[in-house]
Amino acid sequence: MPELVRFGVSMDPALLEKFDQLIAARGYSNRSEALRDLVRAELVRQDWTDDNQPKAATLTIVYDHHHGDLTARLTELQHDYGDEIISTLHVHLDHHNCMEVLVLRGQGSRLRLLADHISSLRGVKHGQLHMTTTGHDLP
Ligand code: NI
């Protein structure tokens, strides 16, 4: 582990109290680790504005598999994005509803496009793209 640098942060007491409540609720044992994670989250968010480095993401969708030709259209689209979809997980939630998790890697703009295409299909009830990082350039 590289040497850590200590630095002081000035903050309004009321804001600090809110911060402490937030991180306690999330299970952090100290402010430093919580602050590091906040910084990393912002770096990942910023990184998604740059299309040069590959990104990692998951897309979770919930849909009714009885809906028209939806399953055929989903398969078709997933083949179109075969380079970006690393893996998929399918769970039969009940008689009608399926949940699918698509594990993605590739150019950020293309992953967003993929998520929009799939989520906007008629019959897809909910789609959520979780944008994360390959971890490559993140200390
Ligand atoms: Ni199913």
PDB file of all heavy atoms in Angstrom, residues 9-20 31:
ATOM      1  N   VAL A   9      -9.652  19.076   6.520  1.00  0.00           N
ATOM      2  CA  VAL A   9     -10.834  19.531   5.791  1.00  0.00           C
ATOM      3  C   VAL A   9     -11.663  20.399   6.717  1.00  0.00           C
ATOM      4  O   VAL A   9     -11.980  19.981   7.835  1.00  0.00           O
ATOM      5  CB  VAL A   9     -11.695  18.335   5.308  1.00  0.00           C
ATOM      6  CG1 VAL A   9     -12.946  18.816   4.595  1.00  0.00           C
ATOM      7  CG2 VAL A   9     -10.889  17.412   4.408  1.00  0.00           C
ATOM      8  N   SER A  10     -11.982  21.601   6.282  1.00  0.00           N
ATOM      9  CA  SER A  10     -12.852  22.480   7.065  1.00  0.00           C
ATOM     10  C   SER A  10     -14.280  22.301   6.583  1.00  0.00           C
ATOM     11  O   SER A  10     -14.528  22.252   5.375  1.00  0.00           O
ATOM     12  CB  SER A  10     -12.439  23.940   6.875  1.00  0.00           C
ATOM     13  OG  SER A  10     -11.082  24.092   7.223  1.00  0.00           O
ATOM     14  N   MET A  11     -15.204  22.198   7.535  1.00  0.00           N
ATOM     15  CA  MET A  11     -16.586  21.940   7.149  1.00  0.00           C
ATOM     16  C   MET A  11     -17.546  22.545   8.170  1.00  0.00           C
ATOM     17  O   MET A  11     -17.252  22.563   9.369  1.00  0.00           O
ATOM     18  CB  MET A  11     -16.804  20.422   7.046  1.00  0.00           C
ATOM     19  CG  MET A  11     -18.018  20.009   6.245  1.00  0.00           C
ATOM     20  SD  MET A  11     -18.208  18.197   6.143  1.00  0.00           S
ATOM     21  CE  MET A  11     -16.979  17.773   4.924  1.00  0.00           C
ATOM     22  N   ASP A  12     -18.663  23.024   7.694  1.00  0.00           N
ATOM     23  CA  ASP A  12     -19.756  23.483   8.544  1.00  0.00           C
ATOM     24  C   ASP A  12     -20.144  22.333   9.476  1.00  0.00           C
ATOM     25  O   ASP A  12     -20.335  21.207   9.012  1.00  0.00           O
ATOM     26  CB  ASP A  12     -20.920  23.853   7.606  1.00  0.00           C
ATOM     27  CG  ASP A  12     -22.126  24.390   8.350  1.00  0.00           C
ATOM     28  OD1 ASP A  12     -22.601  23.705   9.281  1.00  0.00           O
ATOM     29  OD2 ASP A  12     -22.596  25.465   7.978  1.00  0.00           O
ATOM     30  N   PRO A  13     -20.265  22.603  10.803  1.00  0.00           N
ATOM     31  CA  PRO A  13     -20.571  21.509  11.743  1.00  0.00           C
ATOM     32  C   PRO A  13     -21.851  20.745  11.395  1.00  0.00           C
ATOM     33  O   PRO A  13     -21.909  19.527  11.559  1.00  0.00           O
ATOM     34  CB  PRO A  13     -20.720  22.228  13.090  1.00  0.00           C
ATOM     35  CG  PRO A  13     -20.061  23.544  12.923  1.00  0.00           C
ATOM     36  CD  PRO A  13     -20.093  23.900  11.481  1.00  0.00           C
ATOM     37  N   ALA A  14     -22.864  21.475  10.917  1.00  0.00           N
ATOM     38  CA  ALA A  14     -24.133  20.818  10.581  1.00  0.00           C
ATOM     39  C   ALA A  14     -23.941  19.855   9.403  1.00  0.00           C
ATOM     40  O   ALA A  14     -24.515  18.763   9.359  1.00  0.00           O
ATOM     41  CB  ALA A  14     -25.188  21.868  10.243  1.00  0.00           C
ATOM     42  N   LEU A  15     -23.096  20.275   8.441  1.00  0.00           N
ATOM     43  CA  LEU A  15     -22.827  19.425   7.278  1.00  0.00           C
ATOM     44  C   LEU A  15     -22.027  18.192   7.695  1.00  0.00           C
ATOM     45  O   LEU A  15     -22.304  17.073   7.252  1.00  0.00           O
ATOM     46  CB  LEU A  15     -22.065  20.225   6.214  1.00  0.00           C
ATOM     47  CG  LEU A  15     -21.828  19.530   4.874  1.00  0.00           C
ATOM     48  CD1 LEU A  15     -23.147  19.152   4.194  1.00  0.00           C
ATOM     49  CD2 LEU A  15     -21.002  20.417   3.946  1.00  0.00           C
ATOM     50  N   LEU A  16     -21.073  18.418   8.601  1.00  0.00           N
ATOM     51  CA  LEU A  16     -20.258  17.307   9.092  1.00  0.00           C
ATOM     52  C   LEU A  16     -21.116  16.297   9.858  1.00  0.00           C
ATOM     53  O   LEU A  16     -20.934  15.084   9.723  1.00  0.00           O
ATOM     54  CB  LEU A  16     -19.126  17.823   9.983  1.00  0.00           C
ATOM     55  CG  LEU A  16     -18.157  16.752  10.493  1.00  0.00           C
ATOM     56  CD1 LEU A  16     -17.490  16.019   9.336  1.00  0.00           C
ATOM     57  CD2 LEU A  16     -17.107  17.379  11.399  1.00  0.00           C
ATOM     58  N   GLU A  17     -22.081  16.812  10.621  1.00  0.00           N
ATOM     59  CA  GLU A  17     -22.972  15.912  11.362  1.00  0.00           C
ATOM     60  C   GLU A  17     -23.780  15.047  10.399  1.00  0.00           C
ATOM     61  O   GLU A  17     -23.934  13.841  10.599  1.00  0.00           O
ATOM     62  CB  GLU A  17     -23.902  16.736  12.258  1.00  0.00           C
ATOM     63  CG  GLU A  17     -24.623  15.881  13.291  1.00  0.00           C
ATOM     64  CD  GLU A  17     -25.638  16.689  14.107  1.00  0.00           C
ATOM     65  OE1 GLU A  17     -25.415  17.906  14.278  1.00  0.00           O
ATOM     66  OE2 GLU A  17     -26.632  16.093  14.535  1.00  0.00           O
ATOM     67  N   LYS A  18     -24.281  15.666   9.337  1.00  0.00           N
ATOM     68  CA  LYS A  18     -25.026  14.913   8.310  1.00  0.00           C
ATOM     69  C   LYS A  18     -24.132  13.859   7.672  1.00  0.00           C
ATOM     70  O   LYS A  18     -24.558  12.733   7.411  1.00  0.00           O
ATOM     71  CB  LYS A  18     -25.548  15.869   7.226  1.00  0.00           C
ATOM     72  CG  LYS A  18     -26.650  16.786   7.676  1.00  0.00           C
ATOM     73  CD  LYS A  18     -27.985  16.085   7.618  1.00  0.00           C
ATOM     74  CE  LYS A  18     -29.126  17.035   7.903  1.00  0.00           C
ATOM     75  NZ  LYS A  18     -30.374  16.307   8.164  1.00  0.00           N
ATOM     76  N   PHE A  19     -22.893  14.245   7.389  1.00  0.00           N
ATOM     77  CA  PHE A  19     -21.931  13.322   6.775  1.00  0.00           C
ATOM     78  C   PHE A  19     -21.686  12.130   7.701  1.00  0.00           C
ATOM     79  O   PHE A  19     -21.718  10.974   7.272  1.00  0.00           O
ATOM     80  CB  PHE A  19     -20.623  14.062   6.472  1.00  0.00           C
ATOM     81  CG  PHE A  19     -19.587  13.215   5.794  1.00  0.00           C
ATOM     82  CD1 PHE A  19     -19.821  12.639   4.553  1.00  0.00           C
ATOM     83  CD2 PHE A  19     -18.353  12.991   6.390  1.00  0.00           C
ATOM     84  CE1 PHE A  19     -18.858  11.860   3.916  1.00  0.00           C
ATOM     85  CE2 PHE A  19     -17.379  12.211   5.772  1.00  0.00           C
ATOM     86  CZ  PHE A  19     -17.637  11.648   4.529  1.00  0.00           C
ATOM     87  N   ASP A  20     -21.476  12.418   8.982  1.00  0.00           N
ATOM     88  CA  ASP A  20     -21.225  11.344   9.950  1.00  0.00           C
ATOM     89  C   ASP A  20     -22.425  10.397  10.072  1.00  0.00           C
ATOM     90  O   ASP A  20     -22.260   9.186  10.177  1.00  0.00           O
ATOM     91  CB  ASP A  20     -20.874  11.931  11.322  1.00  0.00           C
ATOM     92  CG  ASP A  20     -19.447  12.480  11.343  1.00  0.00           C
ATOM     93  OD1 ASP A  20     -18.649  12.119  10.459  1.00  0.00           O
ATOM     94  OD2 ASP A  20     -19.133  13.289  12.253  1.00  0.00           O
ATOM     95  N   ARG A  31     -14.207   8.344   8.766  1.00  0.00           N
ATOM     96  CA  ARG A  31     -14.444   9.310   7.686  1.00  0.00           C
ATOM     97  C   ARG A  31     -13.502   9.108   6.509  1.00  0.00           C
ATOM     98  O   ARG A  31     -13.881   9.365   5.361  1.00  0.00           O
ATOM     99  CB  ARG A  31     -14.277  10.735   8.209  1.00  0.00           C
ATOM    100  CG  ARG A  31     -15.341  11.161   9.182  1.00  0.00           C
ATOM    101  CD  ARG A  31     -14.968  12.501   9.761  1.00  0.00           C
ATOM    102  NE  ARG A  31     -15.932  12.935  10.773  1.00  0.00           N
ATOM    103  CZ  ARG A  31     -15.632  13.766  11.753  1.00  0.00           C
ATOM    104  NH1 ARG A  31     -14.406  14.261  11.862  1.00  0.00           N
ATOM    105  NH2 ARG A  31     -16.548  14.113  12.621  1.00  0.00           N
TER     106      ARG A  31
END
